[in-house]
């Protein structure tokens, strides 16, 4: 049986899902999002920008080298070479799709600098509102595209399975009604897992639901232990915290402790612009010793409304004026380097199932993602996957009875809050064997109560198995058997 007439189903409306959907034209695409308006992905919250070697003194090789250093050389080198070489074309593609990047008076693109980058190579839009600019432009394109049928307000809670392959999805709408959608291919573009932690820079929907679904279908996972913590979320009460972009430190902001001592002095040659894992651990160490870390951005020059409007608004909303006072900061779960293992073309180990963006792991980020490489990956891997799927739509549908592989019930809210706290304490920026083992046991005991506990168990297993520190996976007890 052929299924050329069936749509490609893309689950998730962030940058990776949107780029996949647009690039798949003219193949029909059904784009499914949890939020009615398609908002709610981490893309729209991304501040810093998109890395690309555009300065005449910069080079693709230098961008690749910084990516490999940040990733602790755990990266797929071929993917890094491809991503960094294609980065300038990604900027062109985004501009052609309506993204207006910030420009200097002479018309040249403004380039910012962030942690781990040896030079200024971050293209940005709306000052620190790059993600929102990318999201709005691509969403507009996708909503206008005749080959894309958009549906918001639905959760994909099951995968349709026939004859050893994924052949569609089961959706659940806001009123709890289920629908089955058969597909030529299913693409998970559901984002990361930050919201499984008690403190995150991600939106609430970045809860690992797509990863859990892929694992339920038997898809292979890779590098699940590598979770990046952003060092400077605003330290206010709450779960999803405002981000204070690393570009602030690129523009002169500095970290200090309660006594005003420079936090990063003597810790790393790049000081305040050291890779994120290094800065996050330093901030976490100050907190563990009972202190607080502060980001002093009062020396940042220029017009805050133009350059950092998102940070300014978020700080003022919480009663802090970053132009006049230091800001309390905390690490927060920010990005998952691990995910469903894919090849360079987004194929998972399960026929018919693809993954792209943060839910996927093709190895490009290694053990720790370089700043501003994530929107870049979403654009380029989405394009690559979308192009590939244009011709993949004539695959066989498989034979045999249709069945639904379910993600399963969610944890009750009180238990979910407990799980987030557990992961924060055991699986945060600093980890050790006993806490990982105890947390794993709690999750194993709760595995039948909700999919989040099963997913956390899988994450903790990977963290326990990697006994030595690497990149963002820091073992305080490095070398000890667990
Ligand atoms: C930031 O603006 O600091 C975050 C950017 C990123 O995650 O790459």
């Amino acid at each position: 049986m052929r299924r050329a007439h069936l749509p490609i189903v893309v689950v998730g409306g962030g940058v990776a899902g949107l780029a996949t959907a647009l690039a798949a034209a003219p193949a029909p695409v059904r784009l499914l999002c949890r939020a009615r308006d398609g908002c709610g992905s981490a893309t729209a919250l991304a501040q810093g920008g998109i890395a690309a070697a555009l300065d005449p003194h910069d080079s693709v090789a230098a961008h690749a080298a910084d990516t490999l250093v940040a990733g602790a050389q755990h990266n797929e080198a071929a993917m890094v070479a491809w991503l960094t070489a294609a980065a300038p074309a990604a900027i062109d593609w985004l501009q052609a799709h309506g993204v207006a990047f910030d420009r200097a008076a002479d018309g040249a693109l403004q380039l910012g600098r962030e942690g781990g980058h040896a030079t200024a190579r971050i293209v940005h839009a709306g000052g620190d509102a790059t993600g929102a600019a990318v999201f709005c432009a691509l969403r507009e394109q996708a909503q206008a595209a005749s080959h894309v049928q958009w549906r918001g307000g639905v959760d994909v809670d099951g995968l349709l399975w026939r004859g050893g392959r994924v052949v569609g999805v089961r959706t659940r709408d806001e009123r709890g009604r289920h629908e089955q959608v058969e597909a030529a291919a299913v693409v998970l573009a559901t984002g990361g897992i930050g919201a499984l932690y008690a403190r995150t820079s991600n939106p609430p929907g970045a809860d690992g639901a797509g990863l859990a679904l892929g694992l339920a279908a038997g898809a292979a996972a890779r590098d699940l232990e590598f979770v990046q913590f952003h060092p400077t979320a605003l330290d206010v009460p709450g779960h999803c915290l405002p981000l204070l972009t690393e570009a602030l430190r690129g523009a002169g902001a500095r970290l200090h402790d309660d006594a005003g001592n420079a936090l990063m002095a003597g810790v790393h040659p790049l000081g305040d612009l050291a890779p994120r894992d290094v800065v996050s651990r330093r901030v976490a160490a100050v907190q563990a010793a009972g202190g607080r870390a502060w980001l002093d951005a009062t020396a940042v020059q220029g017009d805050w409304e133009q350059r950092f409007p998102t940070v300014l608004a978020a700080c003022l909303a919480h009663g802090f004026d970053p132009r006049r006072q230091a800001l309390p900061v905390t690490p927060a779960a920010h990005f998952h380097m691990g995910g469903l293992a894919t090849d360079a073309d987004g194929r998972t180990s399960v026929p018919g199932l693809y993954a792209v963006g943060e839910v996927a792991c093709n190895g490009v980020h290694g053990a720790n993602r370089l700043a501003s490489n994530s929107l870049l990956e979403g654009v380029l891997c989405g394009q690559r996957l979308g192009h590939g799927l244009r011709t993949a739509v004539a695959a066989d549908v498989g034979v045999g009875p249709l069945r639904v592989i379910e993600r399963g019930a969610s944890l009750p809210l009180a238990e979910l809050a407990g799980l987030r706290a557990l992961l924060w304490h055991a699986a945060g920026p600093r980890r050790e064997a006993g806490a990982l083992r105890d947390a794993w046991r709690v999750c194993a005991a709760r595995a039948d109560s909700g999919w989040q506990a099963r997913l956390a168990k899988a994450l903790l297993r990977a963290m326990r198995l990697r006994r030595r520190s690497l990149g963002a996976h820091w073992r305080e007890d490095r070398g000890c058997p667990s």
Side-chain angles (χ1 to χ4, degrees), residues 39-256:
C39 296
S41 73
T43 294
L45 298 183
Q47 294 184 3
I50 304 177
L54 295 171
D55 187 278
H57 302 293
D58 197 5
S59 67
V60 167
H63 184 185
D66 289 346
T67 300
L68 291 165
V69 169
Q73 309 289 337
H74 186 67
N75 322 57
E76 285 293 335
M79 283 302 293
V80 172
W82 170 76
L83 188 89
T84 51
I91 303 299
D92 291 344
W93 185 83
L94 286 168
Q95 293 187 110
H97 282 77
V99 181
F101 290 111
D102 297 330
R103 290 178 179 275
D106 64 359
L109 286 170
Q110 287 180 3
L111 299 176
R113 187 165 171 208
E114 292 180 9
H117 290 273
T119 187
R121 63 166 73 94
I122 314 299
V123 178
H124 48 86
D128 59 4
T130 312
V134 167
F135 170 71
C136 290
L138 296 189
R139 181 180 60 170
E140 200 177 308
Q141 297 280 334
Q143 285 177 334
S146 57
H147 72 288
V148 180
Q149 193 191 345
W150 184 293
R151 174 117 192 259
V154 289
D155 182 32
V156 170
D157 69 352
L159 294 172
L160 306 186
W161 181 270
R162 188 191 282 127
R165 59 183 301 131
V166 168
V167 294
V169 297
R170 185 181 75 176
T171 62
R172 186 174 192 275
D173 70 14
E174 287 148 344
R175 292 161 68 181
R177 292 173 305 197
H178 278 122
E179 191 189 329
Q180 295 188 352
V181 183
E182 291 211 39
V186 173
V187 177
L188 296 175
T190 47
I193 59 162
L196 277 186
Y197 280 84
R199 317 218 81 190
T200 180
S201 62
N202 291 179
D207 59 359
L211 177 55
L213 203 50
L215 295 179
R222 176 173 175 183
D223 290 347
L224 292 183
E225 63 273 35
F226 297 115
V227 180
Q228 181 176 84
F229 296 86
H230 198 289
T232 60
L234 188 64
D235 190 11
V236 289
H239 173 216
C240 301
L241 305 177
L243 187 70
L244 306 178
T245 175
E246 209 160 63
L248 286 165
R249 277 174 282 134
R254 294 290 171 262
L255 287 158
H256 65 74

Side-chain angles (χ1 to χ4, degrees), residues 394-419:
D396 292 341
V397 287
V399 288
L402 188 71
R403 77 181 177 90
V404 181
I405 296 174
E406 298 186 352
R407 189 176 57 222
S410 285
L411 280 180
L413 280 183
E415 285 193 38
L416 186 54
L419 181 88

Side-chain angles (χ1 to χ4, degrees), residues 320-337:
F320 297 99
D321 188 340
R323 296 163 299 190
R324 294 186 177 81
Q325 66 190 123
L327 309 165
V329 292
T330 180
H334 185 63
F335 188 86
H336 196 196
M337 277 69 71

